[in-house]
Amino acid sequence: MPDAFSFHLLATDGAARRGQIATPHGTVATPAFMPVGTQATVKGLAPEAVRTTGADIVLANTYHLMLRPGAERIAALGGLHRFMNWPHAILTDSGGFQVMSLSQLRKVENEAVAFRSHLDGTMVELSPERAIEIQHLLGSDIAMQLDECLKLPAARGELERAMRLSLGWAERSKRAFEQVPPGRALFGIVQGGDDPALRAESARVLVDIGFHGYAIGGLAVGEPQEAMLRTIGEVAPVLPADRPRYLMGVGTPEDLIEAVARGIDMFDCVLPTRNGRHGLAFTRFGPINLKNAHHADDPRPLDEASRCPAARDYSRAYLHHLVKANEMLGAILLTTVNLAYYQELMASMRAAIAAKQFDAFRNDVTTGWQRGDLALS
Amino acid sequence: MPDAFSFHLLATDGAARRGQIATPHGTVATPAFMPVGTQATVKGLAPEAVRTTGADIVLANTYHLMLRPGAERIAALGGLHRFMNWPHAILTDSGGFQVMSLSQLRKVENEAVAFRSHLDGTMVELSPERAIEIQHLLGSDIAMQLDECLKLPAARGELERAMRLSLGWAERSKRAFEQVPPGRALFGIVQGGDDPALRAESARVLVDIGFHGYAIGGLAVGEPQEAMLRTIGEVAPVLPADRPRYLMGVGTPEDLIEAVARGIDMFDCVLPTRNGRHGLAFTRFGPINLKNAHHADDPRPLDEASRCPAARDYSRAYLHHLVKANEMLGAILLTTVNLAYYQELMASMRAAIAAKQFDAFRNDVTTGWQRGDLALS
């Protein structure tokens, strides 16, 4: 019988945490990075290639999948794991964020949000209860409550309204989730923008309601990195130590390290995949933009010491050629390189926390980034 | 020390031939299908994935590579095999075909062809001698002579002029190739359109000049399949039995079987890769267009008995979803399925020829195609 959801804290180093999540589809070592598989595919990679980069879990988007191919269709086909041929853990978001960011027309009321589909223009309604139902139909291991996420900067009144609305939806999500078979998890989402009092209230009420894990939403939405880190530093300590903490939609390699240093356990972000499709590689030497002409004659691989073959077996000259020629293989190789680098970074953080060497690790990694691209020449 | 080029005829069944080509980069079982790697990449697949489909050899395009990234650059980076991380055999075309099909402006004279680059508009000259030099710089195992290829229908006078020009270029290519280190091969190209007398003259003169192998060019350029097969049936028998015969730019699975039945040993074509990118799968049951809505709820894989995981591990519903959502993974999986199907077809033909069962095999395969997509339901 598959495992029910659980979280075990294995080690700490300062605020940084090393843990393990069990799910019905395998375990997830934390701190964990979740590649984004928006439309039931991590763009450019077959699922076994995603697994080979080191991912234990991927994120899929409720908003996209409810519109196409449809949650009921995926359920009839055996659920999302089978549909996308990914037998490992899946977290689904609630759809709220994309309703706000992708839909041209939307109407947020207490009962539900109504929005115009970006695909065919039809009006669709998403309530907290329907968001849970969809995630149940998909068969996700970790479901998220529906919330309203605002861009920053935003007026305090707006932040407060959206935060309270999200708390009401959290309560309803929890009730709706009682209908879902046991073993799966539901996470609440702390909102409140960059306002410490609103964040504190949101976190407190969510903990009172009680969730399997807690996400911090509404960050990396336009605010400076400093404001993001300050908010994380304020919110993480008031969340229960025995539940995983998920920072949504973040971030750069530096963001990940700084957030882990403040007690975050889980991340998702499109940066490694999207930037890979646009010619940017994340490496030990910092980001490398393969579009630049100075790579055209460079026989060196991106990183000869990487455990990722895509970073070892192809010259920068070849990657530059593929990117300039707009060849799919350029996007595929750089997506692979970036996801492998992100996973390597998470694995190194986990090892550093277990060894109580997180600060030294953070200094080493930062020094490598600052040394830069030309260090090998 | 790597093998020098050679061809051994291992078995025949009627006009169909089973053979083996040795090259400095490994052996090629014939009849062979060469995936097209236009810009030093088979679109959508890493080289090890191309190898896994069963390919012994790929084709790369001199025209594209001379313009970007440049033949001298690839030579300085260690040659095309290293550049594209493909350690197996490579055949390069001479560039002639793309000069005719891609360049908006061109001037064909006895000395050379001058054309405007489709990339940046600069005027570039390609002579028979330069075409050999470029292919030498790339390090190709099998080089092709520069030729002029006309679309059909064409006037006899034009066909005759282009054929005689190509013969002159064949002679000069042969002389230029004497400067290339031994072990590699040069193929001549029979031209003459759909005119039997011109084809016969072209073949005879090329055989007198003497090449390591002979290609039939100027087919699949607008003529009916019947005219193509008739021309193959006329030309193949006058080519020397101890040299490989390469039908350029062909074709559908049916074309391949019919051409092998007439004595052809090698093929290249963009159909499996291009059609894969456009949602079409080649299978034992004939072509399947994954764009069609009737696949949306179909849990069956494309072919559960295929040796290709991409054909076994994903439902038609999922492939349909990926194609409709314009996801890269749809193109990747269908390209893989198609190249694996083409290679499986070639391997089956080789086995059938060795067993003197080619006619029975041809009937079986054709029956499978006619049974169609819905046979399993």
Side-chain angles (χ1 to χ4, degrees):
Chain A
M1 184 184 155
D3 279 344
F5 179 89
S6 69
F7 175 67
H8 293 285
L9 194 57
L10 302 175
T12 59
D13 183 11
R17 298 144 50 94
R18 163 84 179 91
Q20 182 167 293
I21 295 171
T23 81
H25 292 89
T27 59
V28 179
T30 65
F33 179 80
M34 303 184 281
V36 176
T38 300
Q39 302 192 99
T41 161
V42 175
K43 288 186 192 300
L45 296 193
E48 65 269 22
V50 176
R51 180 62 170 170
T52 300
T53 67
D56 291 331
I57 179 170
V58 298
L59 175 144
N61 287 123
T62 285
Y63 171 88
H64 286 92
L65 295 176
M66 72 185 279
L67 295 181
R68 181 174 62 193
E72 277 74 9
R73 171 170 282 147
I74 289 178
L77 288 162
L80 185 56
H81 295 82
R82 185 159 163 190
F83 185 62
M84 66 187 286
N85 193 24
W86 172 261
H88 315 290
I90 297 176
L91 179 147
T92 45
D93 65 6
S94 69
F97 184 80
Q98 270 84 24
V99 168
M100 310 305 165
S101 60
L102 289 181
S103 180
Q104 295 296 315
L105 181 74
R106 59 184 174 273
K107 191 174 174 189
V108 181
E109 296 186 330
N110 276 337
E111 186 50 37
V113 53
F115 63 94
R116 195 178 288 287
S117 161
H118 74 293
L119 290 179
D120 62 6
T122 54
M123 287 304 295
V124 183
E125 197 178 85
L126 187 62
S127 65
E129 292 78 13
R130 176 63 181 157
I132 295 299
E133 182 182 25
I134 290 171
Q135 294 177 85
H136 168 49
L137 286 165
L138 297 175
S140 76
D141 299 290
I142 303 176
M144 303 301 299
Q145 69 149 104
L146 187 66
D147 64 337
E148 183 181 4
C149 175
L150 298 181
K151 287 215 171 88
L152 292 174
R156 190 181 194 280
E158 262 300 280
L159 288 172
E160 184 169 357
R161 182 200 55 74
M163 183 272 281
R164 290 195 201 285
L165 181 77
S166 297
L167 286 179
W169 288 359
E171 180 80 48
R172 286 165 56 191
S173 298
K174 172 94 185 275
R175 277 203 303 276
F177 194 75
E178 286 161 9
Q179 309 306 316
V180 172
R184 295 167 182 176
L186 175 65
F187 282 22
I189 305 177
V190 179
Q191 288 289 357
D194 48 5
D195 188 292
L198 295 180
R199 286 283 180 181
E201 179 184 343
S202 176
R204 184 168 39 75
V205 176
L206 286 173
V207 173
D208 285 347
I209 298 172
F211 289 92
H212 298 98
Y214 297 89
I216 305 180
L219 291 179
V221 289
E223 80 285 4
Q225 190 200 34
E226 187 193 314
M228 178 180 83
L229 295 179
R230 192 186 60 237
T231 301
I232 297 168
E234 290 160 0
V235 173
V238 300
L239 296 173
D242 63 347
R243 301 292 157 96
R245 303 162 184 166
Y246 162 30
L247 179 59
M248 303 184 81
V250 176
T252 65
E254 189 194 8
D255 290 339
L256 301 189
I257 290 181
E258 294 306 319
V260 166
R262 287 159 177 79
I264 298 295
D265 306 303
M266 300 167 69
F267 302 88
D268 81 278
C269 192
V270 296
L271 268 189
T273 41
R274 180 177 293 164
N275 282 358
R277 293 198 303 282
H278 294 142
L280 194 89
F282 290 105
T283 76
R284 284 192 294 139
F285 319 109
I288 298 179
N289 186 347
L290 273 311
K291 283 186 180 169
N292 288 346
H294 71 80
H295 300 297
D297 296 297
D298 193 338
R300 295 175 305 157
L302 280 171
D303 183 355
E304 61 194 352
S306 170
R307 61 172 188 77
C308 171
R312 285 194 320 261
D313 296 348
Y314 303 87
S315 66
R316 298 178 188 204
Y318 183 60
L319 296 170
H320 170 76
H321 165 69
L322 293 177
V323 169
K324 295 298 285 182
N326 204 24
E327 280 285 352
M328 285 171 70
L329 186 58
I332 292 167
L333 292 176
L334 293 177
T335 298
T336 308
V337 165
N338 290 351
L339 287 181
Y341 179 70
Y342 267 61
Q343 295 298 344
E344 204 170 327
L345 189 65
M346 303 315 290
S348 302
M349 284 199 266
R350 292 193 295 266
I353 296 166
K356 303 248 180 218
Q357 298 287 330
F358 192 77
D359 279 347
F361 166 81
R362 173 158 54 167
N363 287 338
D364 285 353
V365 171
T366 310
T367 305
W369 292 337
Q370 285 161 353
R371 203 181 297 132
D373 176 17
L374 298 175
L376 290 176
S377 62
Chain B
M1 184 184 155
D3 281 345
F5 179 90
S6 69
F7 175 67
H8 293 286
L9 194 58
L10 301 175
T12 59
D13 183 11
R17 296 144 52 96
R18 163 83 179 92
Q20 182 167 295
I21 295 171
T23 82
H25 291 88
T27 59
V28 178
T30 66
F33 180 80
M34 303 183 281
V36 176
T38 300
Q39 303 193 98
T41 161
V42 175
K43 287 185 192 302
L45 297 193
E48 66 269 21
V50 176
R51 180 64 171 168
T52 300
T53 65
D56 291 331
I57 180 170
V58 298
L59 175 144
N61 286 123
T62 285
Y63 171 89
H64 286 91
L65 295 176
M66 71 184 280
L67 296 180
R68 182 175 60 195
E72 277 74 9
R73 170 170 283 146
I74 289 178
L77 289 162
L80 184 56
H81 295 82
R82 186 159 161 190
F83 186 62
M84 65 187 287
N85 194 24
W86 172 260
H88 314 290
I90 296 177
L91 180 146
T92 46
D93 65 8
S94 68
F97 184 80
Q98 269 84 25
V99 168
M100 311 304 165
S101 60
L102 290 181
S103 180
Q104 295 296 315
L105 181 74
R106 60 185 174 273
K107 190 173 173 189
V108 181
E109 295 187 330
N110 275 336
E111 187 49 37
V113 54
F115 63 94
R116 194 178 288 287
S117 162
H118 74 292
L119 291 178
D120 62 7
T122 55
M123 288 302 296
V124 183
E125 196 177 87
L126 188 62
S127 66
E129 292 78 13
R130 176 64 180 156
I132 295 299
E133 182 184 25
I134 290 170
Q135 294 177 84
H136 169 49
L137 287 165
L138 297 176
S140 76
D141 298 291
I142 302 176
M144 302 301 298
Q145 69 149 105
L146 187 65
D147 64 336
E148 184 182 3
C149 175
L150 299 180
K151 288 215 170 90
L152 291 174
R156 191 182 194 277
E158 262 298 280
L159 288 172
E160 183 168 359
R161 183 199 56 72
M163 183 273 280
R164 289 193 201 287
L165 180 79
S166 298
L167 286 179
W169 288 0
E171 180 79 47
R172 285 165 58 191
S173 299
K174 173 89 185 278
R175 277 202 303 275
F177 195 74
E178 286 162 8
Q179 308 305 315
V180 172
R184 295 168 181 175
L186 176 65
F187 282 22
I189 305 177
V190 179
Q191 288 289 358
D194 50 4
D195 187 292
L198 295 179
R199 286 282 180 182
E201 179 184 342
S202 176
R204 184 167 38 76
V205 175
L206 287 172
V207 173
D208 285 348
I209 298 172
F211 289 91
H212 297 99
Y214 297 88
I216 305 180
L219 291 179
V221 288
E223 79 286 2
Q225 189 200 35
E226 186 192 316
M228 178 181 82
L229 295 179
R230 191 185 61 236
T231 301
I232 298 167
E234 290 161 359
V235 173
V238 301
L239 296 174
D242 63 348
R243 302 292 158 95
R245 304 162 183 165
Y246 162 28
L247 179 60
M248 302 183 81
V250 175
T252 65
E254 188 193 10
D255 290 339
L256 301 189
I257 290 181
E258 294 307 318
V260 167
R262 288 161 177 79
I264 298 296
D265 306 303
M266 300 167 70
F267 303 88
D268 80 279
C269 192
V270 296
L271 267 189
T273 40
R274 179 175 294 164
N275 282 357
R277 293 197 302 284
H278 293 142
L280 195 89
F282 289 104
T283 76
R284 285 192 293 139
F285 318 109
I288 298 178
N289 187 347
L290 273 313
K291 285 187 178 168
N292 287 345
H294 70 81
H295 300 297
D297 296 297
D298 193 338
R300 296 175 304 157
L302 280 170
D303 182 356
E304 61 194 354
S306 172
R307 61 172 187 79
C308 172
R312 285 194 319 261
D313 295 349
Y314 303 87
S315 66
R316 299 179 188 202
Y318 183 61
L319 296 170
H320 170 76
H321 166 68
L322 293 176
V323 169
K324 293 300 284 184
N326 205 24
E327 281 285 354
M328 286 172 69
L329 186 57
I332 293 167
L333 292 176
L334 293 177
T335 298
T336 308
V337 164
N338 289 350
L339 286 180
Y341 180 70
Y342 267 60
Q343 295 298 345
E344 206 172 325
L345 189 65
M346 303 314 290
S348 302
M349 283 198 268
R350 292 192 295 266
I353 295 166
K356 303 247 181 222
Q357 299 285 331
F358 192 77
D359 279 348
F361 166 81
R362 173 158 55 168
N363 286 338
D364 285 353
V365 172
T366 310
T367 304
W369 292 337
Q370 285 163 352
R371 204 182 296 131
D373 177 18
L374 298 175
L376 288 176
S377 62

